[in-house]
């Protein structure tokens, strides 16, 4: 009788262990706030309430840094008047480094364990005249945080500084 109970106990433990492997929990996701998204292999948290602006997101955008072409995947999100932009750029023949990120300016800062360069861009109002018309363009204030990860240049832009700590994952 004891052998049967022992055998049943062993089978039950093995079943629990094998189910644990199938239903493994990503411990990191417990601490995420918002919705986890991946842009070209780099993981971010998009704060709750933000929705992707599909018409303003792209998977193939070319930019040049110090005459070196980078191919970017960009995802843009909005919540009311607040915005977030996630850009991951790469060039297989030129790996992005801390120096590449530093090119974007700003102060050296670490946010959520991610070291990079934070810059504030104040509101700008540009007016110009063409004939009898006066045109006014307003750029609202925003923050950018640039860093290198896995040989890629990552630039996160947000309308509010506190969103950066919600978004970045070390």
């Amino acid at each position: 009788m004891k052998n049967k109970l022992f055998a049943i106990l062993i089978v039950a433990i093995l079943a629990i262990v094998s189910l644990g492997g199938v239903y493994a929990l990503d411990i990191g996701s417990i601490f995420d706030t918002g919705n986890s998204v991946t842009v070209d292999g780099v993981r971010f948290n998009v704060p709750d309430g933000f929705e992707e602006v599909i018409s303003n997101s792209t998977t193939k955008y070319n930019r040049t840094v110090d005459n070196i072409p980078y191919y970017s995947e960009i995802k843009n999100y909005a919540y009311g008047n607040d915005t977030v932009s996630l850009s991951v750029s790469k060039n297989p023949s030129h790996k992005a480094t801390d120096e590449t990120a530093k090119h974007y300016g700003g102060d050296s800062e670490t946010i959520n364990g991610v070291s990079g360069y934070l810059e504030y861009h104040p509101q700008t109002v540009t007016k110009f005249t063409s004939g009898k018309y006066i045109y006014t363009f307003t750029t609202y204030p925003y923050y950018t945080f640039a860093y290198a990860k896995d040989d890629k240049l990552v630039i996160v832009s947000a309308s509010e500084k506190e969103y950066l700590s919600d978004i970045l994952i070390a």
Side-chain angles (χ1 to χ4, degrees), residues 28-38 42-48 50 77 84 86 112 156 163-170:
S29 66
I30 292 173
F31 303 106
D32 290 350
T33 58
N35 305 300
S36 182
V37 298
T38 302
V42 178
R43 209 168 120 221
F44 303 95
N45 278 327
V46 176
D48 287 330
F50 280 81
Y77 296 85
V84 166
L86 310 173
N112 282 1
V156 177
Y163 290 139
L164 295 174
S165 61
D166 293 338
I167 295 165
L168 296 170
I169 300 174

Side-chain angles (χ1 to χ4, degrees), residues 95-110:
K95 310 298 183 199
T97 64
D98 186 61
E99 286 299 314
T100 310
K102 189 177 186 178
H103 177 79
Y104 278 86
D107 298 322
S108 179
E109 192 160 328
T110 300

Side-chain angles (χ1 to χ4, degrees), residues 154-165:
V154 181
I155 301 173
V156 177
S157 302
S159 55
E160 299 292 334
K161 184 178 179 182
E162 60 265 12
Y163 290 139
L164 295 174
S165 61

Side-chain angles (χ1 to χ4, degrees), residues 8-78:
I8 291 172
L9 182 61
I10 295 296
V11 170
I13 290 172
L14 288 174
I16 291 169
V17 169
S18 58
L19 283 176
V22 172
Y23 295 102
L25 176 64
D26 176 10
I27 298 298
S29 66
I30 292 173
F31 303 106
D32 290 350
T33 58
N35 305 300
S36 182
V37 298
T38 302
V39 180
D40 198 13
V42 178
R43 209 168 120 221
F44 303 95
N45 278 327
V46 176
D48 287 330
F50 280 81
E51 297 288 331
E52 184 176 2
V53 182
I54 304 269
S55 63
N56 205 13
S57 295
T58 182
T59 54
K60 293 189 181 186
Y61 173 77
N62 298 325
R63 72 170 43 151
T64 303
V65 178
D66 292 335
N67 294 320
I68 299 169
Y70 282 88
Y71 307 97
S72 303
E73 182 175 340
I74 301 169
K75 291 190 184 260
N76 294 302
Y77 296 85

